[in-house]
Amino acid sequence: MLLSRAMIRAAALAGLLAAAACSAPAAPTEPSAPAPPPEPAAPPPPPDPAAIGANELGDVPVLMYHRITPDPSSVYDRTPEDFRAELERLADEDYVPVTATEYATGKIDIPAGKHPVVLTFDDGSASQFTLDSSGEPAPGTAIRILLSVAEAHPDFRPTATLYVFDPPFEEPGGHRTLTWLHEHGFEIGNHTVDHPNLGNVSATEAQREIAGMQRVINEALPDVPVNSMALPLGVHPDAEALASSGSADGVSYRHSSVMLVGSNPAPSPFSSDFDPANIPRIRSQGPEGEGADYGSTKWLDKLAADPDSRYTSDGDPTKVSAPQAASTEPAPHVGNLHRY
Ligand SMILES: [Zn+2]
């Protein structure tokens, strides 16, 4: 659970009161006993969903990054400065990162009034993540920048889902890199072994590509489930369901989310529009250039200008809150919908 600022303040206040109680002089006739430890402050109840405009049927931006490089060579690359500026913007606009799997399975446990965002990285490049000689994320890499922004914005949880092919982050086997990421709360997703266009290969080959990459990941991370995949080039196998589940060479896979390439915010996982096998993503991009109307700067502008369209948490992971006026229909499986 994430602590809200109010909870942290309440805990600090409880600590102060306990300290004040400890400093009162003991009654002279009684032996002094050690003070009992202070009771932990009970978390305050979540605020009224209406007061914070909670809308858990609203849209979620799933942002797609590729290389983070000082020398961008395509519209998919971002500079470290632009990447940092985008994360700062997300933090300032009350977004909190969740993983692809947390989003897709509706486990969006973020404070009331905050908006989930999913940060996804494709292709496992060294510009996204490299460990330096001391075993820390190397300066200038995406993960190092994300950690530094999160340090300055305590509500901005440093997590992301990284879709890797073989070898992950240019490390044969990926043992060091994948282990570090997993141990620090990042999710590893499947991006196939060789990054083929899955629309151009046989059903058998498509399953080999996906199952084979899961094998590589699980050789580095035994027993860590691989729950999400990003389609290379955004293209499904001809038999679309093979992106969600299949098997080859003794390895079975099952994904609770399959990511597309482009080009708009994703529906709430509680919406009837949610399709876990086709989750749209938004390419990280500045306000100008080819396709900028579908890039992250323009979409974040639109979401900011139309806050009713955006997913806003009620702070209570056990129920789904939405205004009566929300036009989005809930998915049939959502039983605990609270309309206000
Ligand atoms: Zn790719």
Side-chain angles (χ1 to χ4, degrees), residues 171-245:
E171 180 202 2
H175 284 75
R176 286 181 79 225
T177 47
L178 296 183
T179 300
W180 192 99
L181 288 166
H182 175 65
E183 288 179 349
H184 289 79
F186 292 86
E187 178 177 33
I188 307 300
N190 193 328
H191 202 37
T192 74
V193 175
D194 298 314
H195 205 274
N197 179 331
L198 292 175
N200 288 344
V201 302
S202 69
T204 303
E205 185 57 21
Q207 291 175 89
R208 276 204 183 119
E209 279 283 345
I210 301 168
M213 194 59 217
Q214 180 171 299
R215 183 194 298 278
V216 171
I217 295 169
N218 282 147
E219 278 170 5
L221 299 176
D223 307 322
V224 174
V226 180
N227 291 320
S228 187
M229 98 163 279
L231 296 166
L233 317 168
V235 181
H236 278 99
D238 281 349
E240 215 178 280
L242 291 181
S244 298
S245 64

Side-chain angles (χ1 to χ4, degrees), residues 18 22 33-39:
C22 290
E39 292 287 318

Side-chain angles (χ1 to χ4, degrees), residues 136-197:
E136 293 300 317
T141 58
I143 297 303
R144 174 76 170 252
I145 294 168
L146 172 54
L147 292 171
S148 127
V149 170
E151 235 170 68
H153 301 269
D155 284 343
F156 197 73
R157 175 180 169 226
T159 194
T161 300
L162 298 102
Y163 294 99
V164 294
F165 54 64
D166 192 29
F169 307 107
E170 301 172 26
E171 180 202 2
H175 284 75
R176 286 181 79 225
T177 47
L178 296 183
T179 300
W180 192 99
L181 288 166
H182 175 65
E183 288 179 349
H184 289 79
F186 292 86
E187 178 177 33
I188 307 300
N190 193 328
H191 202 37
T192 74
V193 175
D194 298 314
H195 205 274
N197 179 331

Side-chain angles (χ1 to χ4, degrees), residues 26-32:
T29 52
E30 288 173 22
S32 60

